Amino acid sequence: QVRLVESGGGLVQAGGSLRLSCAASGSIFSINTMGWYRQAPGKQREVVAQITNGGITNYAESVKGRFTISRENANNTVYLQMNSLKPEDTAVYYCNARGGGPSIDISLSWGQGTQVTVAS
């Protein structure tokens, strides 16, 4: 099993920055991709950014140029640096791990979620 623990959410003014962290433990050898998702009130959960073991990244159009996902393999941690935050970025942000094997891509685990609130 994979366990994900997030940190770094909070309240920030529009235009400000926050950095989210997600530490993975357990069966980390099974992880191929880690990512961040978010869910705003009344909306479906959506992908924000993903990063593969090889460092390939993918971003939602709404955050391109403002958010940066990175990973530190030494301590099994993935980060989401969020700059130029907008009120519409307000949501609960969830860390996610995907993998399961060389040709398997399933969701392995979700973090508990961290609230990000951007005040206008």
Side-chain angles (χ1 to χ4, degrees):
Q1 287 186 343
V2 175
R3 182 168 180 254
L4 303 175
V5 178
E6 302 147 347
S7 60
L11 172 65
V12 65
Q13 293 293 317
S17 299
L18 282 174
R19 190 176 82 153
L20 306 182
S21 301
C22 174
S25 61
S27 302
I28 58 174
F29 58 87
S30 63
I31 299 174
N32 295 328
T33 301
M34 293 192 71
W36 289 94
Y37 290 67
R38 66 187 181 188
Q39 187 166 18
K43 294 188 177 181
Q44 289 191 332
R45 190 173 297 188
E46 62 176 2
V47 63
V48 176
Q50 295 175 304
I51 185 167
T52 68
N53 285 348
I56 297 172
T57 58
N58 179 53
Y59 295 93
E61 285 296 325
S62 60
V63 307
K64 280 184 179 178
R66 300 188 298 122
F67 291 11
T68 302
I69 189 170
S70 61
R71 62 192 296 167
E72 197 168 293
N73 292 329
N75 58 10
N76 304 310
T77 300
V78 65
Y79 303 96
L80 184 68
Q81 178 66 44
M82 305 185 293
N83 298 329
S84 301
L85 282 160
K86 304 175 181 180
E88 51 262 44
D89 294 318
T90 296
V92 178
Y93 284 69
Y94 297 91
C95 182
N96 173 258
R98 300 187 64 86
S103 57
I104 301 173
D105 181 36
I106 60 172
S107 180
L108 300 175
S109 183
W110 290 94
Q112 79 280 8
T114 185
Q115 177 70 46
V116 171
T117 302
V118 184
S120 57

